[in-house]
Amino acid sequence: MFNTLSDRLTSVLQNLRGKGRLSDADIDATCREIRVALLEADVALPVVRTFIAKIKERAKGAEVSGALNPAQQVIKIVNEELVGILGGETRRLNLAKNPPTVIMLAGLQGAGKTTLAGKLAKWLRGQGHTPMLVACDLQRPNAVNQLQVVGERAGVPVFAPEPGNGVGNPVDVARRGIEEARRAQHDVVVVDTAGRLGVDAELMKQAKDIRDAVEPEEVLFVVDAMIGQDAVNTAQAFADGVGFTGVVLTKLDGDARGGAALSVREVTGQPILFASNGEKLEDFDVFHPDRMASRILG
Ligand code: GDP
């Protein structure tokens, strides 16, 4: 995913190696190149600005001491700041004191929500939980069926509106799903919701109504890392319209530039919890900012 960005940054930082001392001019030149590399990778401009300003300040103020030469010191600073924009520490899921924990998924159509519901369910089972999925995407034909298929693959039950009862009301389905989870003693409920191809008021209202009705411990905003700068705008729209507590990046296996996805944490202030990198249920992991930073820096 971040191959191009990774190659660019590695070569910029490589140019510093072998220098015994870094002048302010060396640092300025390096920062200019890092800035271009980040912008070309689609990292949002305000994020790039803050990032570069921090690197510059720290690199110029760095004491040259200890085991690191000046170039290594800059690399260390870039790495630390990259971990910082990605969220620092890994953020764990919030679990309810009184189960079931409710996790609601929100995002545009095609972001990968339904697929993620299956991945999350499988992962939760691996963590010793007894999850249940609730199908509240009643907008897209076949979405309920798709959730039932991923549920079956993940080996978890799916609560869905009964066929023949019309389209149904997603808020009502969400409520009943959680009642059912409580009755059957599932400790985590993952609520899949409808997305649209673009942000619209009706979608936001429906997601907000579901959120208000089920009071989830987590609202996860699911975003396709391949949609470029739109990732930041969409994130902002969901943050304002629904509100979310965490982000899931999907399609990190794609070859797009991906930098916009790197900006989502910084722009919305909400942490990235999980990353999805393929169509199979196991193509999924907890998001580790430090590992992602190392991958980007090569
Ligand atoms: P939803 O509309 O948000 O529920 O999105 P879906 O779960 O239906 O996913 C849309 C498409 O993206 C499907 O074809 C999925 O197989 C695919 N998809 C989901 N997650 C990933 C991923 O991490 N990588 C890749 N390559 N494809 C994915």
Side-chain angles (χ1 to χ4, degrees):
M1 177 87 200
F2 296 110
N3 291 350
T4 318
L5 177 60
S6 179
D7 288 351
R8 289 287 303 268
L9 287 180
T10 316
S11 83
V12 171
L13 294 169
Q14 199 77 36
N15 291 339
L16 296 178
R17 284 184 204 275
K19 294 205 180 215
R21 247 197 100 252
L22 295 184
S23 63
D24 283 0
D26 287 330
I27 292 170
D28 287 341
T30 304
C31 283
R32 263 198 305 278
E33 289 179 54
I34 296 176
R35 182 187 154 87
V36 173
L38 293 172
L39 287 174
E40 282 183 357
D42 256 351
V43 179
L45 185 58
V47 178
V48 175
R49 282 206 186 113
T50 314
F51 184 75
I52 297 293
K54 281 190 194 154
I55 306 276
K56 218 178 246 187
E57 188 190 321
R58 286 188 59 192
K60 287 185 179 173
E63 291 283 323
V64 179
S65 64
L68 298 181
N69 66 35
Q72 288 166 331
Q73 209 138 22
V74 173
I75 293 168
K76 181 166 173 278
I77 292 169
V78 172
N79 181 64
E80 286 170 2
E81 292 299 333
L82 203 49
V83 173
I85 61 168
L86 292 171
E89 299 277 302
T90 299
R91 151 81 145 75
R92 298 165 72 96
L93 266 182
N94 281 323
L95 296 175
K97 284 195 196 75
N98 297 315
T101 295
V102 179
I103 302 172
M104 172 178 157
L105 308 182
L108 295 182
Q109 183 174 319
K113 290 182 296 303
T114 306
T115 312
L116 174 74
K119 292 177 175 190
L120 201 50
K122 182 170 184 227
W123 179 83
L124 284 163
R125 276 189 66 190
Q127 302 283 310
H129 294 287
T130 53
M132 189 183 96
L133 303 179
V134 178
C136 292
D137 180 355
L138 310 181
Q139 220 79 37
R140 186 161 57 95
N142 208 32
V144 172
N145 182 254
Q146 192 192 338
L147 192 72
Q148 282 164 330
V149 170
V150 296
E152 199 166 310
R153 274 198 209 129
V156 303
V158 176
F159 182 87
E162 301 77 15
N165 272 6
V167 175
N169 171 350
V171 176
D172 182 47
V173 173
R175 263 203 211 101
R176 286 192 292 128
I178 288 156
E179 270 166 34
E180 171 59 18
R182 192 167 286 125
R183 190 197 61 75
Q185 301 199 332
H186 292 285
D187 69 341
V188 185
V189 186
V190 179
V191 179
D192 189 20
T193 67
R196 296 285 157 85
L197 290 173
V199 170
D200 75 41
E202 204 188 322
L203 158 73
M204 291 298 173
K205 179 165 184 329
Q206 186 184 95
K208 196 162 176 289
D209 288 347
I210 296 176
R211 191 203 66 190
D212 291 346
V214 303
E215 299 182 345
E217 270 63 41
E218 299 276 11
V219 179
L220 299 183
F221 169 63
V222 183
V223 60
D224 176 344
M226 307 224 292
I227 65 173
Q229 288 292 352
D230 273 351
V232 173
N233 304 333
T234 311
Q236 199 61 62
F238 273 84
D240 297 341
V242 189
F244 55 82
T245 58
V247 177
V248 181
L249 299 180
T250 65
K251 310 194 192 179
L252 285 175
D253 51 314
D255 58 4
R257 295 173 289 185
L262 298 186
S263 322
V264 168
R265 156 69 181 62
E266 187 83 355
V267 170
T268 66
Q270 297 301 338
I272 303 166
L273 267 64
F274 299 101
S276 188
N277 55 1
E279 295 192 71
K280 294 206 268 331
L281 286 189
E282 51 275 21
D283 297 331
F284 170 80
D285 206 352
V286 170
F287 185 78
H288 298 286
D290 52 344
R291 287 189 212 163
M292 182 58 91
S294 312
R295 233 177 86 189
I296 293 171
L297 289 180

